[in-house]
Amino acid sequence: MAYIDHIVRCNDYDLGGFRPWFIGDDQAGWMRHTFAERLRAFPEIFIVTESRVWLAPDLETPAIRSQQLAAVCTELAGAGELPAARGELFPVLPHWAGTQLASLDRAWVTHFGLPAYGVHLNGYVSGDAGTEMWIARRALGKMTYPGQLDNLVAGGQPAGLGLYENMVKECAEEADIPAALAARMRSTGQITYAMEVGEGLKQDTLFTFDLELPREFEPHNTDGEVDSFRLAPIAEVAAIVRDTYDFKFNCNLVVLDFLVRHGLLTADDAPDFGGICTGLHAEFPRA
């Protein structure tokens, strides 16, 4: 395998199995045809045609839309057709700079093919031995991707929090990084990908941050979501990405982005360097 395989994996989808759905004139996301047909049972909430789905136009405010979406999903979850709610609301936000149209529980976001947002932190140490990176191993009891490798800190972006505020919160919860130390982090851009999974279409934007940590710092998990942490030479981390699927699928992209930005992965190192660079910033499909 090669680095580019992770780019390909995270941008693999077939829109033939989906139809777009809208809130007013705004495309909110994509849903599988089977899921769209199921929503015909809620004509007061959804207008379903053979090619598109609309949220009912009389649901005029984000609060009312959120309430009605939650009611439908709760009913479907009770029937075993959707997972149970996770108690964390994500914004229905087709573009980060746009207007929030509603909120939806995190458990149901991919079923509706909504653009979702997250924050990821590269924690690294510099010294005479070169760059080293802290990597986490996800708890074995975690609901998603248990036991896989992860970035030092990462989390979904819930409604009602700023990116920096969320990143500081996740630093404290996942790695016990004090706020004063977390404040040294630098925003380094974003990564985008669209990926078909069992639940539907993932359209994700990951906002990335770098934090150079003092060598004496050692992370400790406080929320039970991480099994262990390890400080590894960056060449070893790069080899894990290049040769394995040990990292959670999107964390590979975050590491690749770090390697490129820091000059640790160049066109001399990878024949698919151009595809790596462009593939980290894929465009989302639109109807």
Side-chain angles (χ1 to χ4, degrees), residues 71-88:
V72 169
C73 292
T74 299
E75 181 173 334
L76 294 177
E81 299 176 61
L82 285 179
R86 294 174 62 176
E88 184 178 10

Side-chain angles (χ1 to χ4, degrees), residues 84-108:
R86 294 174 62 176
E88 184 178 10
L89 292 178
F90 272 22
V92 179
L93 190 62
H95 306 281
W96 179 252
T99 300
Q100 183 172 327
L101 304 176
S103 298
L104 188 69
D105 190 273
R106 181 175 187 169
W108 307 321

